[in-house]
Amino acid sequence: MVSIPKTRRMYAVVWLGWFLALLLLACAYQLPMDPVNSVADQVVLPVLGSVVTHEPDQGAPFPWLSRARWRKWAWLHYQAACRVYARLRWAARLTYYRAVWAAGVARLLLTGAVTMAVIVDTLTRAQLRRQLGALPVLYALLEVLHVREIVNRYCPTEAQVDHGAVVVVLVLNRLMAPRALVRVADWVAQTVLTQTLNIPADKFNDDRLGRTLDAIASHEREIWLEIVNAALLQFDIDVSFIFYDLTAFVMQGEFKDSDKVDYGFAHNTPSDKQKVKEGLSVSSDGNVPLDYAALSGRTADLATVQANMERLCHLLQRCGYPIDQVVILGDRGTLNDEIAVKYDEKGLKYLAGLKAHKKEHADLLKAVPEVQFAAHPLTDKRGRYGHYGLPCVITFQHEGKTVTHRGVILLSGPMRHAVRQGRAQQLCALRDELTAVRTKIGKKRCRSVKEVQARAETCLRHSSVGDLMRAEAYTTVEGGVDLRWWIDTDALWHAMQTDGRYLLATNDWTLTPSRMFELYRAKDGVEKCFRISKQVLRVRPIFVHSDERIEALLLINLLALLVYNLLERELRQRGLPWTTRRLIEQLENLTVIETHCWDGSVVCRLTPVSDEQRQLIAFLSALVADLRLPRFRLALTGLSEPLILPAPLATTLGQATLAEIA
């Protein structure tokens, strides 16, 4: 066995020997010098004996090379042709096998051995059911309002899912199937939004939703103003009359460091629950929300009116609408002397109810005899009587300033009847309590006149009509104790003078008493918005635990309310007196079946729809197309008439009355 070092040394010696041999051979031969050229031009070059030179006139140096190249070219093309032939042969065989398989399957189908369902099930890898419903029209309205673009403009992000898409999903979830943030991703997976947005459903987890709420919280005012401005321009909403009111949303959890969550008084809300209040301004045209503010639960209604004036002035100036042509309507909890003076200073017009806390205001209600109201009847929208109004003048004073506004003393027949009926029931209940005290005379702590009188006065003090009844304990002829009571007719007569009466005040002297009554009755539109937010959109209870996320969640709710009322307004203007809730329920069973085959192809088909749904879909398609068309293009194309509900749809779907809708 030869070792490796010895082998390497041997290779080195052999190569060294060859190098020396070549060197000696090169030195042995030299080129002859040209005697003609000078010595400087003479060059001595070593010549190797193995070098072969070739002259061009002697022909090709390698005559066999061209023939070998042609053979190689032919061989390569032959191999390529063989491969093409093999592929064609396999394709023909595959086509044949498929034809044979198809013929066999057809034979099995014809004989009934195999059903079509078995074949489809064999070819199907998965089948998904995704809800469609009213998502197309709701998503189109959000596109018309440019919600996603506006949010992304104020809250840009480099994440895979932009904040605008998250806001759109949250708004659609509020409208379609309100759920907690932790369950929004499950709802998205059941709808067609994954294909529409091209975003997987698991991207909408509660962490991402929370980050979006944090991002839009710092820009919620700017985002809202831009979206409302787009709605006012696109839908041509009349803002001549604006309703303003407050509501409260119950909170869940602990909020130790919150400036918004607090205990306070609110109608139809438990006093022992923490809450957040929301001041909302809506237009009389379609009850479209125009402005809002998240307030502390302890905030009083009167303390929010001046801030609402500032916000509305900013909104109207932004939209280019004259401030002096707007009338703000509020209830009796939004007006006092200070606010009436501020309205004049701001140049705003108002119409509101007035609580008769001051003596001069209370005297106005009692000064007019009831018989004088019969000559001044007022009618409601249905032309029914029962309300009466007498014009008057109301004076307000604050910090040395005095203003005089127009007022109306209203007498509501239904309200008067309800108040008197309730008073009679309370008097009957008080009489029963006094009777119970009378039956206890002679028992423990009811044996003396003083003890019985004390019990009777306790009953009177705890009753809301105790000032209308008198009770007296006395000693009978036999020496016993008895109790008697009677109604104070003078006090009852004075109380009945204000039954069903209340004051309306305004600084717009062009409004007649009938118009003031009509507008004040229409302010229930803002109450309807509150009912929609709480019952349909289910904004309460709120589970987020920071003021920023509370404000952002209220923004999401207001965007959903905006879309809800805009769609309802468009439906009513086109002859379909439906609510948005009913429209969503009518299209709720529209579903897309998504079939995934083994070859990777996907088939989508819509489940069968009824004739009414088909007509409704066609109507909504035309409505969305009309909304996408700018207003100036409508005039250019001659489409001056609005889109009207088709006759078949009006007959089959337009059976709902206003009472059913309400």
Side-chain angles (χ1 to χ4, degrees), residues 42-318:
Q42 294 180 2
V43 180
V44 179
L45 298 175
V47 180
L48 297 179
S50 60
V51 176
V52 179
T53 60
H54 174 70
E55 297 295 336
D57 55 354
Q58 295 181 359
F62 307 102
W64 64 87
L65 186 60
S66 60
R67 183 181 303 173
R69 184 176 300 172
W70 177 85
R71 291 178 179 176
K72 184 177 181 180
W73 176 85
W75 175 252
L76 293 176
H77 282 71
Y78 172 74
Q79 289 181 337
C82 291
R83 289 193 295 270
V84 172
Y85 172 73
R87 285 195 295 267
L88 293 176
R89 184 178 61 182
W90 280 108
R93 289 182 178 180
L94 183 61
T95 303
Y96 172 74
Y97 292 149
R98 288 179 177 175
V100 172
W101 179 82
V105 171
R107 190 180 302 109
L108 294 175
L109 291 174
L110 292 176
T111 56
V114 178
T115 61
M116 184 63 71
V118 175
I119 303 300
V120 173
D121 183 67
T122 304
L123 298 176
T124 302
R125 179 173 60 88
Q127 195 171 56
L128 303 177
R129 187 183 184 94
R130 300 189 183 276
Q131 183 185 11
L132 180 64
L135 280 175
V137 62
L138 297 176
Y139 186 83
L141 282 176
L142 291 175
E143 284 188 333
V144 170
L145 297 176
H146 308 288
V147 173
R148 185 173 183 179
E149 294 81 357
I150 293 174
V151 172
N152 289 333
R153 188 186 312 138
Y154 286 97
C155 306
T157 179
E158 297 181 357
Q160 182 180 358
V161 181
D162 55 277
H163 294 307
V166 176
V167 170
V168 168
V169 169
L170 288 176
V171 172
L172 292 175
N173 177 254
R174 289 288 102 188
L175 291 166
M176 295 286 295
R179 299 187 181 185
L181 296 180
V182 295
R183 298 181 180 178
V184 171
D186 299 335
W187 174 78
V188 174
Q190 300 172 2
T191 64
V192 297
L193 288 176
T194 53
Q195 287 76 20
T196 304
L197 299 174
N198 196 22
I199 301 175
D202 56 358
K203 295 294 183 179
F204 297 97
N205 52 73
D206 55 337
D207 292 335
R208 186 179 299 277
L209 302 184
R211 290 193 296 270
T212 298
L213 294 180
D214 293 334
I216 66 176
S218 56
H219 303 282
E220 53 94 14
R221 182 64 182 171
E222 293 82 1
I223 293 173
W224 173 255
L225 288 178
E226 284 219 23
I227 295 176
V228 168
N229 190 21
L232 293 177
L233 294 177
Q234 179 66 28
F235 293 86
D236 194 17
I237 300 172
D238 183 16
V239 294
S240 300
F241 300 97
I242 299 177
F243 305 138
Y244 175 70
D245 202 356
L246 278 80
T247 189
F249 301 112
V250 177
M251 307 296 294
Q252 297 291 336
E254 297 182 357
F255 302 86
K256 297 181 180 180
D257 301 328
S258 175
D259 296 330
K260 302 292 184 183
V261 183
D262 202 347
Y263 295 96
F265 172 77
H267 296 285
N268 303 323
T269 305
S271 300
D272 58 342
K273 296 290 186 180
Q274 291 180 317
K275 56 185 69 71
V276 171
K277 287 189 177 181
E278 179 187 65
L280 182 62
S281 298
V282 303
S283 65
S284 61
D285 182 11
N287 299 327
V288 178
L290 301 177
D291 193 80
Y292 78 100
L295 307 169
S296 172
R298 195 177 292 273
T299 306
D301 293 3
L302 286 172
T304 65
V305 178
Q306 296 187 32
N308 180 64
M309 293 183 198
E310 299 289 344
R311 293 194 304 270
L312 286 179
C313 289
H314 177 67
L315 174 64
L316 296 173
Q317 291 173 357
R318 183 187 181 96

Side-chain angles (χ1 to χ4, degrees), residues 409-613:
I409 305 173
L410 289 177
L411 172 61
S412 173
M415 182 185 298
R416 178 181 56 184
H417 176 72
V419 170
R420 291 180 178 178
Q421 187 177 8
R423 183 186 294 118
Q425 294 176 355
Q426 293 172 353
L427 288 174
C428 290
L430 180 57
R431 187 182 297 110
D432 294 339
E433 293 179 5
L434 295 175
T435 303
V437 173
R438 186 177 185 180
T439 57
K440 294 180 181 179
I441 294 177
K443 297 181 180 179
K444 186 178 180 180
R445 297 181 181 178
C446 287
R447 294 172 181 168
S448 65
V449 174
K450 184 177 180 180
E451 291 176 345
V452 174
Q453 184 68 32
R455 283 182 172 269
E457 291 178 355
T458 300
C459 294
L460 296 177
R461 186 170 56 253
H462 291 169
S463 176
S464 58
V465 293
D467 56 341
L468 303 180
M469 187 172 288
R470 301 290 181 264
E472 180 184 5
Y474 62 96
T475 303
T476 62
V477 178
E478 293 81 4
V481 179
D482 199 358
L483 178 67
R484 61 182 178 183
W485 57 86
W486 66 95
I487 295 177
D488 189 345
T489 56
D490 291 337
L492 180 60
W493 182 85
H494 285 288
M496 293 176 60
Q497 295 305 304
T498 59
D499 288 346
R501 298 187 186 186
Y502 55 96
L503 288 173
L504 292 184
T506 181
N507 58 353
D508 187 1
W509 292 85
T510 62
L511 295 178
T512 63
S514 299
R515 183 59 174 163
M516 292 172 63
F517 172 71
E518 179 185 354
L519 291 174
Y520 191 74
R521 289 285 297 269
K523 69 179 180 60
D524 291 338
V526 67
E527 296 291 344
K528 180 182 177 182
C529 292
F530 293 151
R531 289 195 299 270
I532 293 173
S533 297
K534 296 178 180 180
Q535 300 176 8
V536 180
L537 306 180
R538 298 180 185 177
V539 68
R540 62 175 184 181
I542 300 176
F543 294 94
V544 292
H545 295 279
S546 67
D547 290 347
E548 292 77 12
R549 293 193 176 184
I550 290 174
E551 294 177 358
L553 195 60
L554 290 179
L555 172 62
I556 298 297
N557 177 74
L558 263 295
L559 291 176
L561 180 63
L562 177 65
V563 174
Y564 187 100
N565 287 347
L566 284 176
L567 180 56
E568 184 173 314
R569 175 179 178 270
E570 293 298 317
L571 292 177
R572 292 177 182 270
Q573 287 184 352
R574 287 164 171 79
L576 184 59
W578 279 17
T579 62
T580 303
R581 182 75 264 166
R582 184 178 179 184
L583 174 67
I584 294 175
E585 292 175 354
Q586 184 70 21
L587 301 177
E588 189 175 7
N589 60 351
L590 291 183
T591 307
V592 174
I593 304 299
E594 189 177 290
T595 304
H596 296 258
C597 300
W598 286 103
D599 61 347
S601 59
V602 179
V603 179
C604 296
R605 65 182 185 276
L606 185 66
T607 54
V609 297
S610 61
D611 294 337
E612 293 82 2
Q613 288 178 335

Side-chain angles (χ1 to χ4, degrees), residues 4-44:
I4 295 178
K6 292 182 180 180
T7 305
R8 291 179 178 176
R9 285 195 297 271
M10 181 178 65
Y11 286 162
V13 171
V14 171
W15 280 107
L16 181 60
W18 276 106
F19 175 74
L20 293 176
L22 291 175
L23 183 61
L24 292 175
L25 183 62
C27 294
Y29 295 93
Q30 293 182 358
L31 290 174
M33 293 185 298
D34 189 0
V36 179
N37 298 333
S38 62
V39 179
D41 296 331
Q42 294 180 2
V43 180
V44 179

